[in-house]
Amino acid sequence: MKVIVCGAGQVGSNIARYLASEGNNVTVIDHSPELIQRISDTLDVQAMVGHASHPDVLEAAGAGETDMIIAVTQIDEINMVACEVAHALFKVPTKIARVRNQSYLKPIWADLFSRDHMPIDVIISPEIAVARAIARRLQVPGAFDMIPLADGKVRVVGVLCTESCPVLHTPLRQLTGLFPDLGLEVVAIIRNDRSFIPGGDDQMLPGDEVYFVCDNRHLGRAMAAFGHEEVEARRIIILGGGNIGLCLAEELEAKYPHVTARIIEMNRTRAQYVAQRLSRTMVLHGDGLDPEILEEANVRATETVVAVTNDDEGNILSSLLAKRHGAKRAITLINKASYTSLVSPLGIDAVVSPRAITVSNILQHVRRGRIRAVHSLRDGFAEVIEAEALETSAVVNTPLREVNLPSGVIVGAIVRGDEVIIPRPATVIRPKDRVIILATAGQVKKVEKMFAVRLEFF
């Protein structure tokens, strides 16, 4: 597949890396010579300096023979025009654009991106996606990550194993005997910055970050099995009233009436605007690093503080300060990947990466075939994929013990109608099953070959 990626920033470079590692023909365009040089030095892609919305630049990038354009520059209008030019002049079949300004995304302008006006096939809004990801984490206190799959029937949950975790030092194969009626499968462990898919003899150790797949009906018991029985947050402080903070507050007002939220925003004009947009959320003008403002927001009675300003360092410090003054839990937005491994030892409970969330959203539309969802874990260590098994797939109607899954691939769950099946060696995948798979980087192509004979699965 030939793909043009417009924008060589964090999102664009990560998408290019994903696609190039799978053998796709990738061209990256950016107006910054420094970013293009970095891409050229680190990735096996074509890279060119230019404005991604200019027809001559797209032509030089091979738009006439391109299957997909992914426009993720920092400027919404360039992303939209690049897709429009790719459609009108080069007939590019699939066009994906990142649009950050919420004005473009209001329901009353829904026809803007229709085929008759601005034919963009997929609009990615990082602010909305990040707000929803944070809201999901609030649903499962004690988890640093939570991904709903199969229409909410299955959850992929990330938890930290503390010294009080009841299943520490227990071989994973014994979990079935300990919890015979609990639908749960451990699919990944992060230990000392090393990520791996565990085998039956592996054990969980204090400090491990563990991803497990479970039947949503068993989620409470599964969290208790890992020593997490925290109470769902009902009082929340949001530090930062930017687009993400506002989207999160709107999400909470619309879908979580039992939650009371307060926003602290440093810019007075922005604080006034946010207050006008919200009905149930109190907005305070002040600095999240000011203990007096935190006290005014009643931080001592707050279960969760969510720091979502544009300043990584400010988010980290304000989260730690809020916890010191009484907040039970901190969820912190961090853009720099190098900070991710540092914050957990400091006491921050969950990290949200806009870059990783945006990449996951784009990958969902890049993957071919009957893909329902794709989520990237830990800066590309692995992907969680929800896919529909096809009649032609080599893995259907065969016990999993005989399938010989490649190293780095694990089946976490199978959904058949309303039934969630945690796979065992004798489990058989049937056509039309929804299969939850974790595949490490570089293994997706092998999964494709196993799940498709004549038709592409991904």
Side-chain angles (χ1 to χ4, degrees), residues 29-109:
I29 304 171
D30 199 284
H31 72 277
S32 167
E34 292 79 11
L35 289 178
I36 289 299
Q37 186 62 52
R38 185 184 305 168
I39 287 279
S40 298
D41 292 343
T42 57
L43 300 180
D44 183 19
V45 302
Q46 295 177 302
M48 56 186 295
V49 177
H51 289 275
S53 58
H54 290 183
D56 57 336
V57 173
L58 289 174
E59 182 182 38
E65 298 81 37
T66 292
D67 301 295
M68 178 181 294
I69 183 169
I70 303 172
V72 288
T73 74
Q74 295 294 324
I75 301 174
D76 291 350
E77 290 74 16
I78 290 179
N79 296 337
M80 293 187 286
V81 172
C83 289
E84 172 68 24
V85 172
H87 171 80
L89 300 183
F90 303 106
K91 311 302 180 188
V92 175
T94 304
K95 301 159 288 292
I96 299 174
R98 178 173 65 179
V99 178
R100 309 183 75 164
N101 192 312
Q102 298 302 299
S103 177
Y104 289 119
L105 305 176
K106 291 181 178 178
I108 59 173
W109 315 127

Side-chain angles (χ1 to χ4, degrees), residues 100-211:
R100 309 183 75 164
N101 192 312
Q102 298 302 299
S103 177
Y104 289 119
L105 305 176
K106 291 181 178 178
I108 59 173
W109 315 127
D111 286 344
L112 176 62
F113 301 108
S114 68
R115 185 159 292 276
D116 293 334
H117 296 103
M118 191 175 294
I120 301 174
D121 301 290
V122 179
I123 297 292
I124 302 294
S125 170
E127 286 77 12
I128 294 175
V130 170
R132 290 175 177 169
I134 294 172
R136 291 198 301 267
R137 285 163 171 78
L138 293 173
Q139 292 177 23
V140 189
F144 63 79
D145 201 358
M146 195 281 282
I147 303 165
L149 297 168
D151 298 327
K153 296 183 180 71
V154 171
R155 304 292 175 106
V156 179
V157 181
V159 295
L160 175 67
C161 289
T162 65
E163 294 283 356
S164 61
C165 176
V167 292
L168 288 179
H169 310 294
T170 302
L172 296 183
R173 67 174 73 256
Q174 294 183 15
L175 292 182
T176 302
L178 292 173
F179 308 102
D181 59 343
L182 181 59
L184 180 150
E185 179 80 4
V186 174
V187 294
I189 295 176
I190 298 97
R191 178 179 298 157
N192 299 326
D193 295 332
R194 184 177 74 89
S195 306
F196 62 96
I197 292 179
D201 295 324
D202 283 308
Q203 304 176 17
M204 290 171 286
L205 306 178
D208 283 356
E209 295 180 1
V210 174
Y211 278 94

